[in-house]
């Protein structure tokens, strides 16, 4: 990281904190992140956005703490249940015609999607929560160790957990844009 930032192992949300990624929720987005949930409510989003009728969720859990992604609608894994306190590396891809999510190099969670509709929600995805048409919803209580976001396989964000030295703010430094991203929600990241 550049001078003025101290890298840390992870940042943690206790609920209410989120980061506006500035990356539009649309077909062709994908992500790879390492995370650990510290609490498991019934509906939580780690990276995504929705409008009234359409969803783009790269990492989401619903119902009954099952991994899922959203591409227009929900697509939920049928057997794999999240476990609190387990560190996961989650990869999710939402291109037109072939959507999928997997964790820890395991098998896909449920059916690989084949939706050929093109979606462009026109709003940015939130990290640690969902952008619900401009409002934060379904915030996650989790630790984030690293996150990469791609659009059509081009890196858009490469987040590294850190502390901004000038004000001791905990957040993420993006190596792709050379920008610090702090909390856009309530409370503080730890």
């Amino acid at each position: 990281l550049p001078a003025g930032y101290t890298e840390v192992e992870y940042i943690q949300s206790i609920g209410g904190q989120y980061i506006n990624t500035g990356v539009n929720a649309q077909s062709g987005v994908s992500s790879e992140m390492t995370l650990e949930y510290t609490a498991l409510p019934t509906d939580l989003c780690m990276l995504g956005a929705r409008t009234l009728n359409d969803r783009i969720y790269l990492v989401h859990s619903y119902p009954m703490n099952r991994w899922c992604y959203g591409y227009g609608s929900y697509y939920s894994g049928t057997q794999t249940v999240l476990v609190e306190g387990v560190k996961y590396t989650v990869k999710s891809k939402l291109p037109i015609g072939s959507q999928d999510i997997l964790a820890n190099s395991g098998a896909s969670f449920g059916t690989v999607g084949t939706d050929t509709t093109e979606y462009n929600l026109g709003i940015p995805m939130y990290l640690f929560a969902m952008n619900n048409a401009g409002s934060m919803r379904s915030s996650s209580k989790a630790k984030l160790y690293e996150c990469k976001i791609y659009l059509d396989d081009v890196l858009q964000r490469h987040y590294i957990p850190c502390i901004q030295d000038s004000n001791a703010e905990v957040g993420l430094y993006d190596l792709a844009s050379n920008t610090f991203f702090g909390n856009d929600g309530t409370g503080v990241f730890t």
Side-chain angles (χ1 to χ4, degrees), residues 107-169:
S108 297
F109 301 136
T111 305
V112 175
T114 58
D115 189 332
T116 57
T117 306
E118 182 173 359
Y119 294 97
N120 185 337
L121 276 55
I123 58 174
M125 294 181 292
Y126 289 173
L127 187 56
F128 286 98
M130 132 190 3
N131 179 350
N132 186 36
S135 298
M136 186 274 292
R137 179 177 168 185
S138 302
S139 71
S140 294
K141 295 179 180 180
K143 297 176 181 177
L144 181 70
Y145 295 84
E146 184 177 19
C147 177
K148 295 177 184 175
I149 303 172
Y150 300 86
L151 178 57
D152 297 325
D153 296 323
V154 176
L155 184 67
Q156 303 295 305
R157 300 286 183 265
H158 184 179
Y159 290 122
I160 303 295
C162 68
I163 298 172
Q164 189 173 34
D165 297 339
S166 63
N167 60 7
E169 183 178 1

Side-chain angles (χ1 to χ4, degrees), residues 1-72:
L1 298 181
Y5 300 91
T6 302
E7 186 172 341
V8 295
E9 182 182 11
Y10 60 83
I11 66 170
Q12 182 172 351
S13 170
I14 58 171
Q17 299 80 42
Y18 72 92
I19 288 176
N20 180 338
T21 67
V23 177
N24 187 45
Q26 65 186 67
S27 300
V29 293
S30 60
S31 68
E32 179 177 346
M33 71 174 70
T34 302
L35 66 116
E36 174 184 339
Y37 286 104
T38 57
L40 293 173
T42 58
D43 184 8
L44 56 90
C45 188
M46 194 64 187
L47 179 60
R50 69 173 288 168
T51 58
L52 181 61
N53 297 313
D54 295 321
R55 297 163 177 83
I56 294 287
Y57 303 152
L58 283 158
V59 180
H60 195 85
S61 174
Y62 182 83
M64 298 170 25
N65 296 328
R66 299 196 188 291
W67 292 101
C68 72
Y69 65 86
Y71 189 78

Side-chain angles (χ1 to χ4, degrees), residues 164-186:
Q164 189 173 34
D165 297 339
S166 63
N167 60 7
E169 183 178 1
V170 176
L172 298 170
Y173 191 86
D174 174 32
L175 297 175
S177 67
N178 294 313
T179 305
F180 177 78
F181 285 78
N183 178 28
D184 290 306
T186 60

